[in-house]
Structure formats: structure tokens, C-alpha cells
Amino acid sequence: MNDDDRERADRAEAVHRQLIEALEAISEGFTLYDAEDRLVAFNRRFRDDCSGVPQMVRVGMCFEDMIRSVAEQGVILTGERSIEEWVAWRLAQRRDPGPPFKLERGDGRRLMISERRTRNGGIVAIYTDITELEEQRECLEAQMRLTEEARHQLTEALESIAEGFAIFDAEDRLVLYNSRFKEHFVTPVDVVEPGLRFEDLLRAVVARGTIPREYASGEQYVTERLAQHREPVGPYQFTRSDGVCVQISEHRTRDGDYVAVYSDITELERHRHRLEELVTERTAELQSTTEALRRSQDDLRRARDQAERASQAKGEFLANMSHEIRTPMNGVIGVAELLERTTLTEQQAEYVALIQKSADTLLGLINNILDFSKIEAGRLELEATPFPLRDTLSDTLQTLSLHAADKGLELAVHIPPEVPDRVLGDPVRLRQVVVNLVGNAIKFTERGEVVVDLRLVARETGRIRLGVEIRDTGIGIPVAKRHRIFEAFGQADSSTTRQSGGTGLGLSIAAQLVEMMGGHIEVREGLDGRGSRFVFEIDLEVLEDGAAMSPPGLKGIDVLVVDDNATNRRILDEILVGWGMHPVCVESGREALAALARAEQAGERFPLALLDMMMPHMDGLALAARIRAHPSHAAMPILMLSSGGRSGDVTRRRRLGIARLLLKPLKQSELLDAIGEALGDKGAAKRSGEPVAPATVTPRRVLLVEDGRINQQVACDLLRQRGHAVVLAENGREAVDTVAREAFDVVLMDIHMPVMDGLEAARAIRGAGYRLPIVAMTASATREDRERCLAAGMDDFVSKPFRAAELYAAVERSEGGKETGQEVEEGVTSDALISAAVLGGVEAAQLPCLDWAGALKALDGNHEMLVEMVEMFRHEGPRLMAEIDTALAAGEVRTLRRAAHTLKGSAQVVGGLAAGEAARRLEALAKTGELARAVSAREALARRLDELMPALEATCRDEGD
């Protein structure tokens, strides 16, 4: 090869390399086949991405082998053709190349193939991946289909509406409209077509002569209508020459188009005109009616004012009547009590008892009338006070037991173990409801029993729904008259020959009190068709998690229970089982003796027996005598159960060794203490609340301020019989002067007096700096009157007519003297420390945090009771502090004072002297309304409680060890 040949070869090689590089640079696949369909050249794009079989692609490969292989391996989809049919189709295309065609691969990719023959008969093919383009095309086609469907739906929707609809573009040319627009709202219809200018449409209307009536000329119509159309501000309304009233609403879109809605409101306009006529007519009538109403309102206003004055006069009348009636009644009851203390014949004693009973009845009637009037006026409010449910109900029923016993009736109360005992509510009003209902049941029951049955209806966190049923075995109430018995002054028996009298107020008041407690009362037929059942439910807050008491030391002890009344046996059985004991309940003395005999034969003994006093054939005392006569049971402790204070022969009871006589209905706490005492628990007597010996009364120097002669005599005699010294003042002025001259322990102050009344006198005494206790003696029974007493600086009050016990309690729980600022000396007892702190203004920091010995001494050394009090205080203290914080935040001084007062007493009971004094200071600030200073006093109280709580816990733990 010469140089020229070599040079030409090099140039050819360079050109070949450039050609290969160019083929590799393009993004499509490239192949070149010769005239015999054998692969001459290809680029990597074809081999790796387009062929689908890169391992097979090689120079010299036959085209038919290539396409058959990709079809058989599924690299290329053949669609509905078989592989042979597809290969034949592909070879036919190859022989006569035409326009580009598409193929779909098995992996979803799509290729566009363009083939051309070369001059020498070969084939050049370009393979383009059009997968993304195809997907975009398909998405666009789908969107176009949706757009077309939406346009079709829009067209159908526009055709279905009753209004005419039209769209004009930004150049005011008609784009879209419905047939309603064309046929009903445009005249002539033949001009309506897409592309019509809005102005041309208006001029066609003018040419046809169908412009609205209110336009003077066609040009004026076109000009104003164009202005409205180009700057739409709201619905446009006009009446055509043919009488059709049209309303047009136009809106400009963001693109500058105009949307118009045409509505036929011809009928609406007719109705509107008719309504305007009717409104005009009605307005005239209303003006006349308004004038009549104005006159009627004036009459009603005058009637309301008169009613308010009458209501106020009624309230004042009731208060005055209460005072006027209670004042002489105070003399009647007081003189009767004094007379009862003298030596009387049997007949005179009966007369005194009749006087007291009549006075009690009259006082109850007065209280009912006052309660009824307060309920009617909406002035009766319920208290929220912690109280023990079981003892409260038992104490209440025991006051009625004598009346029931006089009629030979059994009176019982059943409280299931699951009912909580420590609750928060109004015990006074609950007792009032129970007394009314039970007293009514006793009144109309001649034989059998009256039972108070409780049940737990529902329980939530901190609250219970309590169901109460009072059932009797009396005469019952006819169905036709049951709806009247809760009406004021209404009775089931209203005839002149009725056996039991009364006003009917008691049941009415009970029903309304139950409603105030969140319930409803109703009367039903008694069990087995005998008597009646009064049923109601009330809501109460729960102060502890436990329900009934679960005392230690009684588990597994057998006890013999003898009672002829099935209800009493069931109640006793439930109580004793709840305490873990094993009761054997029988209904007669004969069965009791048989039970004792069976126990003796089995080699066992009953450690305790509970015997009912009144039983047929063999009463409790006779049974006790039979038991004592038997050597095996002679030493068995016996508790006697009696109804209505029927104690029997005291000497005989002592001779028979009866451990305790308990009054029915039983108080569970008394029964528990009696059982503990009988079984050898010497602390039970103290826990029962029964004094072992009368407490020594400290004589007090009392200033009695009273203008009534009878009340003076009664109070003086009662107090002097108790050992107290009494100085008399007849009006408030004398009282103020006497306090300034002499020292007293307590002042008993009447409210209504001449010269200076009791409230003004109390304020004057407090203003002079004297801190001795002042106890109001008031015949006013309303809460507002009592609050006025406290606001005047008084510390307590006694309601007239007062009982001796109430008067003694008010005087003997008060200690006082003139403020001296004396300091506390070392070694002073707890009582002296508390008294000095209350009366002398001692700082709480000077008092001990905890005086455990003093608190124990105050409870007669009853350690268990003190521990119980501490446990209650640990729960009550935080609750009362929360109540104090709430009252401070709301500025409620009365609530603040009450909570501080309660916390003070609770702290002093457990020996918390410093905390008690801090609570007293907060109470004093609340009394004077000094809320700004009360905030710092509250912080001081919180610090004292933070010191007291761990001290109590540590002391109780040490004492327990």
C-alpha cells in the first residue's frame, strides 16, 4: 500500500470513527441493515434500551431472527396476533417501509420506529422511546374527555333550570346560553347565536319595540342597560312592554367575562304588591292593637307593682306574725319547762305535757307556714353541710318512735351497706322531709309498721343518687285522691268527720324540698295492696369512699337475734353480716330457747344476744329471765331493744344483767358501741357519745337583754337553775352602758326592743372594742334575719321560743371578755391557749403547731376517736382550703367566713392551735369584708396547715407504734 492509499485509509477510518461517535451521541436507538437484512451497525442506545435483548445484539444478526426472538420472549407485545402472524406483519412492513409506527414492550415502555431504505437496498431504523409522551397524551385525552363530560353536564344543568342563562366574553360577545334565555327573555329569538354582541342584542330588542315601559326612548334604554351590564352592582329589574317582570343578576368573572341570570318574577311581584296592601292593612290593625297593649301593659305594671307591694307586705306580715306569735309562745314553753321541774301531781304533769304538746304542734304549724311562704317567694335555700347519713336518719326517727310506740307500731329504717355514710347536703331539710312523711304515715296507720327504706340508685365520682321509700301498713290513699295530697292545704280526707286533722302543708313542703334536692316525690300503693308508699330520690355529694362501718374485732362472732317483726330481723341481719358477724335470727322466745338448746348440744355458746323488749307470748324480759336461769347461758351478754322508750322495769333489767337498752329504730353507731362494750371493749362507752357522768358546768356571768317580762322570767330562772349569774337589761342602750361598767362572759341579746334594738346595740359594743360573745335571741326564723345578726357583730343566735337545752348550749359554749392584748404564758392548757388566742389577739406563730395532749384530754382520753378526727381533718382540710380560695376569687365573704369558721373548729379539735388561730383571723377579716387583708391571712393559714399535716401524720404513726 502506497502512501496515497494509506492516507485515504486513514481518512476513511477517521470518518468511520466520527460516524460511530455521532451515532452514539444521539438519544434514539439506531440500526443499519444491509440488503440481505443483516445487522451492519447499531449504537449502544439501541442495544441496551431499545432492543430488549442486549445479549443477542451483534453485527451480522438476521433481522427476522431478532424480531422472532423478542416476540417469543415477550419483550414486544404482539397484541391479538399470534407470534407467526406478528412476525409476518413486521417483515411486510420491513419490505415496504412506510410512516413511523409504534410498538409496546412487555415492560410497559413504548417505542416509535422510523425505517428508510438506503440506495443500496439496506434499511436504516430509528428507535425513539415515546413512553412519557404517550402517557402525557393519554392524560390529556382523559382530561379532554372529562372536560367534554363536564361541559355536557353543565349544558344539561343550564337547560334544566327555570331561569335564563347567558355568558358573554370580555369583548361582550355571546359565548354560551340556554334555550330558556333564547325563547323567553330575548325578542326576537332569531338574532340569538354565538358571537352576538350584547349591544347588537339590545338594539334588536329596540327594533322589535319590546323595550321596558319605564324608558322614554330606545337609545336611553341601550345606554343605561350597557352601563349596568359593564359595571354590574346588583340585581336589575324591569317590566317588559308585554307585562312580564324580569330580574337580571349579572356578575363579572376573573377573566373579564359576564355571567347573567334572567328570572321571571311576574308572580312574585304580584304577591309582593298584594303583601304590601295586606301589610298596610295589618299595620293599621297593629297600631290599634299596640295602643291597646300599651294600655294593658300600664295596667299590668300597676298590677305588678301592687303585687310586689303585697308580696313584700306579706313577707313583713309573716315575719312580724312570727315574732309576735313566737314571743308569747316562748313564755308558754318556758313556763311549762319550769313547771315540769317542780313537784306535780300526776294530773298536773299530764296538763303540763298537754301544754308542751300543743305548743309544739303550734310551733310546727308556724314553721310550716313560714317555710311554705319562703318556698313560694323563692327565698328558701339549701345548705351544703357534711353529715353522717345513718345517724342523722336514726336520730330523726327516734324522735318519732314514741308516737309510733303509743300506737303499737314498729318504726324501722333500712340502709344497705353500699350506701355511703359521710355525705354533703342539707341534713335539716332532709330531716324535715322524713319527719313530714313518716309522721304522716304514723298518723294514718293503726297497726303494723312504718319503714324507711333507702337504696343506692346511681353513683358517680363524688356524687350519689339516693332513693328513699317510706311505706306503711295503714289505710292507704285512693288513686283518685293521690294527686291532691301534695297540694298546699289539700288532704286525702277533707271531710268534716276525718279522723286526723292537719293543714296539708307538710306534704306540700316535703314535695317542694325534694324537688330542690334534685328529685321528685310520688305516692304509690303499698306492698300487697296494704297502706301507702311515698317514694323520692335526691342527689348528695359523697365525702368518703367507704359506705357502712366495717369495725374490727367482730368477725366470726355468733349472735342470737330475737324480734317478732320480720323487717327488724332483716335489718339487723344485714347490719351484723356487714360487720362480719354470724347472726341467728328468730321471731319468738320459744324459737330463741330452741336455738340456744341446739347450740348447747353442739358444744357451742352464743357470745351475745339481742332481744326485742315487746314480743307476744314471751316478751324480752321474760326471755332474758329464762336465759339467766340456765347455767350454760347465765353469763351471756344481753342487749335489749325497745320501741318508744318502753324500758320496762328498771330494777328487773338490772337484776337480769341487761348490758344496754337500745332505742329503736337503732342507730348503727350506738349498736356497734353497745356490742363492743358488751363483748369487753371498754372504750365503746366513750365512742357512743353517752356521757359516763354529767359534765361539770362552769358558771357564767350572763347579761340578759330582754324587754318582755315573761321572757325575762323564763330565761333568768332557767339560767340560774343551771348555776349561771344573770344581770338584766331591758333595752339596747342599757346593755351598752352595762357592758362598759361590768365584765360578762356572754351577752344574750333580744333583737326587737325599744330605745335601741339589739342589732344597733351589738354594733355599739363591737365599736367600743369589746370582744365578748353576743348571742342573739330572735323570734325571726328567716335566714336573712340571722345573717343580719351576724353582720351586726353577733356570734350566735337562739331561736324563740327556745328550749332549755338550746339556751344552755349557746351560753356554755361561749367564753369571752374585754380585749386586753394579754400575752400567753408558758404552761397554759390547750383550752386556755385557744381562749387567749380568740379573745386576746395572740399571733398564730406564738401558739404550738400541735397540742396532742390537750386534744386527747378534750376527748376524755379517747385515742381512737382522736385518730378518727385526724383522718377526717386530713380530708376536710384541703376541701375547705379549696372552698376558701374559690370564695376569695369570687369575693363571696359569707362563703369565706363559713369555710374559715369550719376549718378553725376542725383544726382546734385535733390540737392544731396555730392553724386554728390563723383560720380565726381569716374568719374575722371575712366578717368585716376586708378581702385585701384576707389574701395574706389565707397564705398564713396555708403555712400553718402545711406544718400541721405532717405533724399529725407523724404523731398518729408514733402513737400507733
Side-chain angles (χ1 to χ4, degrees), residues 757-782:
D757 64 25
L759 298 177
E760 187 177 353
R763 285 190 286 267
I765 292 173
R766 292 292 183 237
Y770 296 96
R771 298 187 59 83
L772 76 167
I774 302 175
V775 179
M777 296 191 302
T778 173
S780 299
T782 65

Side-chain angles (χ1 to χ4, degrees), residues 117-191:
R117 281 201 176 273
T118 62
R119 278 186 250 175
N120 58 1
I123 293 291
V124 176
I126 300 296
Y127 293 78
T128 304
D129 189 343
I130 60 171
T131 304
E132 292 184 5
L133 291 176
E134 284 294 296
E135 290 175 352
Q136 292 174 0
R137 181 186 62 79
E138 290 174 356
C139 181
L140 182 59
E141 288 177 351
Q143 290 177 352
M144 291 179 65
R145 286 194 300 271
L146 291 174
T147 302
E148 184 62 27
E149 291 175 0
R151 182 179 180 281
H152 180 68
Q153 292 174 354
L154 176 61
T155 302
E156 289 185 348
L158 292 177
E159 288 297 330
S160 66
I161 63 177
E163 287 76 15
F165 179 84
I167 298 179
F168 293 85
D169 61 18
E171 298 179 356
D172 263 359
R173 296 187 181 277
L174 185 60
V175 177
L176 181 65
Y177 57 90
N178 62 359
S179 56
R180 180 73 171 168
F181 168 77
K182 177 178 179 180
E183 297 171 0
H184 189 70
F185 294 101
V186 180
T187 303
V189 297
D190 52 355
V191 302

Side-chain angles (χ1 to χ4, degrees), residues 810-824:
V811 169
E812 292 164 8
R813 66 170 167 253
S814 306
E815 296 184 8
K818 187 171 180 179
E819 189 171 81
T820 62
Q822 59 191 4
E823 297 181 357
V824 178

Side-chain angles (χ1 to χ4, degrees), residues 246-389:
V246 179
Q247 178 175 285
I248 304 174
S249 298
E250 294 180 310
H251 171 67
R252 184 191 290 270
T253 67
R254 296 178 181 177
D255 300 330
D257 295 344
Y258 294 88
V259 178
V261 177
Y262 293 72
S263 304
D264 185 349
I265 60 171
T266 306
E267 286 298 320
L268 288 177
E269 282 297 295
R270 290 175 185 162
H271 285 300
R272 184 179 65 81
H273 289 306
R274 177 57 183 157
L275 285 174
E276 287 179 351
E277 294 174 358
L278 291 174
V279 167
T280 302
E281 295 174 3
R282 295 292 186 270
T283 300
E285 295 176 1
L286 285 174
Q287 288 176 346
S288 175
T289 304
T290 301
E291 185 61 30
L293 284 175
R294 187 177 294 110
R295 292 192 298 268
S296 176
Q297 286 177 349
D298 292 339
D299 295 340
L300 288 174
R301 192 176 296 107
R302 287 191 293 270
R304 182 201 63 193
D305 294 341
Q306 292 175 358
E308 289 179 351
R309 288 194 295 271
S311 177
Q312 183 177 0
K314 174 185 174 183
E316 294 175 354
F317 171 77
L318 288 173
N320 291 332
M321 285 301 297
S322 168
H323 182 269
E324 295 299 326
I325 296 175
R326 285 169 180 265
T327 299
M329 279 189 65
N330 188 50
V332 173
I333 293 177
V335 170
E337 286 194 349
L338 290 172
L339 187 59
E340 187 182 27
R341 296 164 185 250
T342 64
T343 303
L344 303 174
T345 65
E346 183 178 351
Q347 186 176 22
Q348 289 170 336
E350 290 179 359
Y351 291 162
V352 171
L354 287 174
I355 292 173
Q356 291 177 326
K357 184 175 181 180
S358 299
D360 287 338
T361 302
L362 183 56
L363 184 59
L365 178 58
I366 293 171
N367 290 334
N368 279 342
I369 293 174
L370 288 174
D371 282 344
F372 183 73
S373 66
K374 285 189 286 186
I375 291 174
E376 274 196 326
R379 296 169 59 192
L380 185 67
E381 298 180 6
L382 297 179
E383 298 288 343
T385 306
F387 68 95
L389 183 62

Side-chain angles (χ1 to χ4, degrees), residues 546-601:
M549 296 170 289
S550 183
L554 300 183
K555 187 174 182 180
I557 295 179
D558 294 333
V559 55
L560 177 64
V561 177
V562 188
D563 197 315
D564 64 307
N565 183 268
T567 302
N568 282 333
R569 291 199 304 275
R570 179 171 65 88
I571 293 173
L572 283 169
D573 181 77
E574 185 176 274
I575 293 174
L576 297 173
V577 169
W579 292 345
M581 304 181 77
H582 296 160
V584 175
C585 300
V586 297
E587 63 177 338
S588 68
R590 182 176 58 81
E591 292 185 12
L593 294 174
L596 290 171
R598 286 194 299 272
E600 185 176 2
Q601 290 175 1

Side-chain angles (χ1 to χ4, degrees), residues 881 884-885 903 914-915 918-919 922 935-950:
M881 282 300 295
I884 287 171
D885 291 340
L903 186 55
L922 180 59
V935 175
S936 60
R938 180 267 175 207
E939 297 302 324
L941 173 58
R943 290 194 297 270
R944 299 291 170 254
L945 287 175
D946 289 342
E947 297 168 358
L948 177 61
M949 289 300 185

